[in-house]
Amino acid sequence: MTSSWRLFVRRVGSDWSYQYKALRLAVDWIVALYVVIPLMLVAGYHYITWLHTPPAWFHLFTLPMVAAVLYVFTWMGTIRYFVEEGDQLFLRQNQSWFRHLMVLGYRYSLVLQGVTTLLLVALLLPLLYQNFSFTAAAVANLFVLTYLLKVTLGLARQLLALHLYGIVLWLLRIILFTGAFFIYEDIVAHIIEQPVFSWCGMLVLLVLFVVLSRVRLAQKGAFFADIARESDSRMRIVSLMLIRVVKRRIRPTRKYPLLFGRSQRLFRGAGAASGLSDFLAKSYFRSGTQWRFTVQFAVVMGAALFFLPGTLKIVIWVVAACMLAYWRKRFCKEEMNASFLKLFDIQDAAKHQALQAVTPILVLPALLLISLCAGISMFTWWGPLLMLGAAVPLAYGSSSVFTSWY
């Protein structure tokens, strides 16, 4: 390579080529011809139609629901710098090249985040225009506000991950996620009547973005973290297609687990099914990753229930239970494929019995929190009691549906 610019172009081209080859594994020309292209044509036709004549079901969507979708989108993605492990041999010694490569990757990520944000806002345009009477200025304000929030949150999450770890990082991410959501939702709710709120929000986000950008690009000791993030970003499409392949990172282990550190048996009975149920329950409750995803899912679903009408609230509550039951079943099946368990002659019948016994117990923590939020959102004294009481049979019912087969 004769310049850092050519090196950057080569790495971006390599990344796009890799993503294209990964997509080709799932979408060949037959799938594209008979599925993807017809779906795109039908979607394009309906999109143009909805811009002029909204369907009757548009009234089911509220502006807070749209804000929640946009906010979840801002929490996704990251800022990439296109650094690789081999850079520590030579490129790290040439600081001007290495810094220029990071700046180019940073600018590329900002452009890519802007394009994806614009596409999402354009996708929601029929709903914004027909259902909420957004003007062109309001749509532009929404796009800029969402884009600035997305890139600012991306930089803030990177800096937090570089300086903190463990439960402190986990709690701060929850606080950041929850606090930023309520502020963003409130600004979006007044973006038409009082656009000055959105202007002030954009100004604050712009200042934060500039400050965080300077701090992040000048950050020392972030080389290996950037390599891990780049690897995750490059493998994202492949990971979605090969979802059964679990990549585990090495983390410091505790001498005694925080939960069930000295416990013996959790399930009564003898035999492989009882022991396997103990193993699955302890694996889940001792997993920080599972707890983090569970709390994030419960917080998002619980917050969304406050903005939904009564009938749709119950539907989403049942859907959340089904999603939890499906995820817990997948978690259990992946754990039962552990290499050390293959040393034992455990029959599929015992595995199925353990799966049926432990899945509702794993579903209950998150479902109880979601049910509590659903009950509080009814604004009655009996709402929380009713929903918490109904969570137990719903957990067992949804689990029995998804574990009826192994």
Side-chain angles (χ1 to χ4, degrees), residues 45-57:
Y45 169 77
H46 284 291
Y47 181 85
I48 297 174
T49 303
W50 293 343
L51 277 174
H52 299 88
T53 306
W57 49 267

Side-chain angles (χ1 to χ4, degrees), residues 209-226:
F209 169 69
V210 172
V211 173
L212 292 178
S213 297
R214 291 180 178 274
V215 174
R216 179 62 187 89
L217 291 175
Q219 186 70 45
K220 303 295 184 181
F223 178 68
F224 293 103
D226 291 337

Side-chain angles (χ1 to χ4, degrees), residues 30 43 54 118 122 164 172 184 205 212 278 322 345 347 372 385 389:
I30 297 178
L118 182 61
L164 301 172
L172 283 178
Y184 176 77
L205 286 173
L212 292 178
D278 277 355
C322 294
D345 185 19
Q347 301 298 321
L372 180 61
L385 298 178

Side-chain angles (χ1 to χ4, degrees), residues 253-288:
T253 57
R254 296 171 55 91
K255 186 176 180 180
Y256 296 104
L258 184 63
L259 295 176
F260 309 116
R262 300 180 182 273
S263 67
Q264 297 300 319
R265 299 296 298 272
L266 300 179
F267 291 82
R268 294 182 180 180
S274 178
L276 196 56
S277 299
D278 277 355
F279 162 71
L280 293 174
K282 292 178 181 179
S283 296
Y284 175 79
F285 287 112
R286 290 172 177 174
S287 173

